[in-house]
Amino acid sequence: MITVVYPGSFDPCTNGHLAVIKRAASLFDKVVVGVLTNSSKTPAFTVEERIELLKIATEDLKNVEIAAFSGLLVDFMKKIDSKIIIKGIRAVSDFEYEFQMALTNRTLCDELETLFLHTSKEYMFLSSSIVKEIAKYGGNLNGLVPEKLIPIINRRFENA
Ligand code: PNS
């Protein structure tokens, strides 16, 4: 049984994230989506809210679990007993940072592999920051985030 971990901030989960989760779930026995709780960025959504949004987005995917983690990813990997980190790559610009993280994680634990899944082409431009920017100004989130999340995300920015 192969369990992989897809780590990130997911502030909030986008259709780009969901596409990577679905593809990983079709390739491996189990996908644990690891939501970082102690990011240096100030999130728009609390970790509990980000987890809830991911749970709603993945409710039909039986081999996907959502879990919070803090501290180093390598320690979370040990806790989950997984050796494979999944990352999504949107463009060449993502690669340098992702490659640096992959090599750092490999240096900290030489049993770990990072597998990069290229993003689906329709979501190449998409990021959580773009979703927040659109929501902040009352724009249309259709097609950018899972449909069920739209009212929840919009509510957060209604009076912001
Ligand atoms: O969605 P993000 O913000 O790009 O995700 C970044 C994340 C959570 C994958 C990365 O910041 C991370 O793994 N943080 C945990 C701390 C850690 O292990 N740092 C060393 C590896 S760079």
Side-chain angles (χ1 to χ4, degrees), residues 44-87:
F45 295 88
T46 65
V47 68
E48 291 80 12
E49 289 169 332
R50 286 180 274 148
I51 287 174
E52 188 53 30
L53 291 172
L54 277 159
K55 282 189 175 165
I56 295 169
T58 60
E59 62 193 354
D60 296 336
L61 303 169
K62 297 298 164 225
N63 60 338
V64 174
E65 269 178 27
I66 318 296
F69 81 100
S70 58
L72 290 176
L73 178 59
V74 288
D75 294 328
F76 183 60
M77 297 300 293
K78 273 185 208 132
K79 190 176 152 203
I80 297 291
D81 195 22
S82 167
K83 295 192 181 351
I84 301 178
I85 300 165
I86 297 290
K87 295 308 281 296

Side-chain angles (χ1 to χ4, degrees), residues 7-10 36 41 69 71-74 87 97 101 104-105:
S9 306
F10 305 104
L36 183 68
K41 307 169 200 166
F69 81 100
L72 290 176
L73 178 59
V74 288
K87 295 308 281 296
Y97 176 63
M101 280 206 282
T104 304
N105 287 323

Side-chain angles (χ1 to χ4, degrees), residues 4-7 16-28 31 84-92 94-95 98 113-121 123-124:
V4 299
V5 172
Y6 178 40
H17 293 130
L18 187 59
V20 170
I21 294 170
K22 280 184 179 166
R23 284 161 60 206
S26 74
L27 290 169
F28 299 101
V31 179
I84 301 178
I85 300 165
I86 297 290
K87 295 308 281 296
I89 294 271
R90 283 168 301 194
V92 179
D94 280 344
F95 185 76
E98 292 297 343
E113 292 289 354
T114 298
L115 298 187
F116 296 110
L117 293 184
H118 63 77
T119 189
S120 311
K121 58 183 184 302
Y123 303 130
M124 272 186 76

